[in-house]
Amino acid sequence: MSLIGKLVQQLKSKEFRQYLMSTHFWGPVANWGIPLAAIADTQKDPAIISGKMTLALSIYSLMFMRFAWRVQPRNLLLFACHLTNEAAQLTQLARFVNHHYISKGPEQKTK
């Protein structure tokens, strides 16, 4: 059987249909809005970044990455979502720190 045939058979299986109707699928799908918004925000002015919220979202994603890995069966879709969010939030946090603490010249620090 060809690779495409095997893929089609897998997609038609009862197990896959059950997976599509489970929280292991829809939870991560709903969660993808957070990292997608963070990625979109990397193109915006770093002055609008909330350092506290970015740190909170980073910690949140670390905790849920661990959960997704430890839960049985492992939820790799949720893990990928939070791994992506962690990378996006750390990028935002670096932009925040750079904007507010590193890149300020002497004239901006006195304001």
Side-chain angles (χ1 to χ4, degrees):
M1 184 181 283
S2 71
L3 183 60
I4 294 173
K6 287 180 183 179
L7 178 63
V8 169
Q9 286 303 106
Q10 177 67 25
L11 293 175
K12 288 182 176 180
S13 72
K14 180 180 178 183
E15 292 82 14
F16 186 75
R17 287 191 310 265
Q18 286 176 336
Y19 172 69
L20 285 180
M21 296 302 136
S22 73
T23 56
H24 267 255
F25 177 75
W26 289 108
V29 168
N31 240 343
W32 271 100
I34 297 169
L36 292 176
I39 291 167
D41 285 350
T42 61
Q43 303 303 310
K44 295 181 180 175
D45 184 7
I48 64 170
I49 298 171
S50 168
K52 290 179 183 179
M53 182 55 87
T54 301
L55 182 61
L57 284 168
S58 180
I59 293 168
Y60 159 80
S61 279
L62 279 174
M63 291 188 317
F64 271 91
M65 277 172 42
R66 182 182 185 279
F67 169 79
W69 189 256
R70 297 294 304 249
V71 70
Q72 291 298 321
R74 285 191 173 136
N75 193 334
L76 297 180
L77 187 56
L78 184 63
F79 184 85
C81 173
H82 284 290
L83 181 66
T84 304
N85 190 47
E86 185 66 25
Q89 296 302 331
L90 291 176
T91 299
Q92 290 293 78
L93 193 57
R95 292 178 69 225
F96 174 83
V97 169
N98 184 47
H99 177 76
H100 289 285
Y101 300 105
I102 296 173
S103 68
K104 286 190 172 188
E107 68 283 349
Q108 289 179 331
K109 288 183 180 176
T110 59
K111 289 183 180 178

